[in-house]
Amino acid sequence: MDSSTVLQARWSLSQDKIDNDVKCALCRFNFAYYGLIFAFSLFFQFEQHLSPQLTGLAFLPMTVVLMAVNILVGRLSGRLRARALMLFGMSWAALGYALLWPVSLEGGYGWLIAPMLIASSGIATMVPTLTNLTMSAVLPAQAGIASGVLNTARQVGGMLGVAVCGFLVRDTEPVVFMQGMHRAIGTAVILLLAGFALCYFGMPSHDRAVDERRQPS
């Protein structure tokens, strides 16, 4: 077996580990993001009695921050370790969603803005970081497959988030709906904290692996 074959086999094994952690992380934060977007859109329309147009505008600050942080983190990803960015993103998103826990029928929209911005900035930190981590760790011939895996993991996470959170808030009776909202928020926070633990214990070797991958053979 020549050196190039050994190198490719070695990186195939390394990529399997990275893919597993990345796919789990993608599923977790897309579950939280899209699941709670769906739940809060129902909350704004059915419980706060906002029109569809105003409901869309209610998410505008969150969307703007998501776009801005994506661009910023994309520029920083080459300077900072992927593990540090992922830990920050998971913890920051979990904090933002945890701050949404006291949401109530009597509360105004204003106090929801800061937690939503915190959560979206944490989520936005993860997207370019995970993409860069995966694409940096694969051989050029595997780039298309890696990109497809990333998109699939994101779609699966978002689909599960909408399905589970939608199930939890299926009853529009105010008291029951709010109980479901709190369960949905709690589920998202738990998944993000579990993702934090996964990154903390599973990521240290990834940065070293990517560094070695970038070294000329």
Side-chain angles (χ1 to χ4, degrees), residues 47 166-178:
E47 307 304 330
F167 174 78
L168 293 173
V169 297
R170 65 192 183 279
D171 193 330
T172 57
E173 195 279 322
V175 174
V176 180
F177 182 91
M178 294 311 301

Side-chain angles (χ1 to χ4, degrees), residues 33 37 44 53-68 109 113 116-117 120:
Y33 182 72
I37 285 285
F44 288 139
Q53 293 79 11
L54 289 177
T55 297
L57 288 174
F59 290 110
L60 184 60
M62 194 175 185
T63 306
V64 171
V65 168
L66 189 72
M67 294 171 58
Y109 169 73
I113 295 177
M116 291 173 68
L117 295 183
S120 64

Side-chain angles (χ1 to χ4, degrees), residues 16 19 34 69 75 83 87 94-95 99 104 107 121 125 166 174 186 192 195 208-210:
D16 287 343
D19 272 347
Y34 289 108
V69 174
R75 295 177 178 177
R83 179 171 179 260
L87 290 175
L95 173 63
L99 292 175
S104 66
S121 62
T125 302
L192 289 170
R208 292 195 299 271
V210 172

Side-chain angles (χ1 to χ4, degrees), residues 75-108:
R75 295 177 178 177
L76 293 176
S77 59
R79 305 175 187 177
L80 301 176
R81 292 288 186 178
R83 179 171 179 260
L85 289 171
M86 291 177 69
L87 290 175
F88 171 80
M90 286 286 188
S91 59
W92 203 237
L95 173 63
Y97 286 129
L99 292 175
L100 289 171
W101 178 268
V103 62
S104 66
L105 296 174
E106 296 77 21

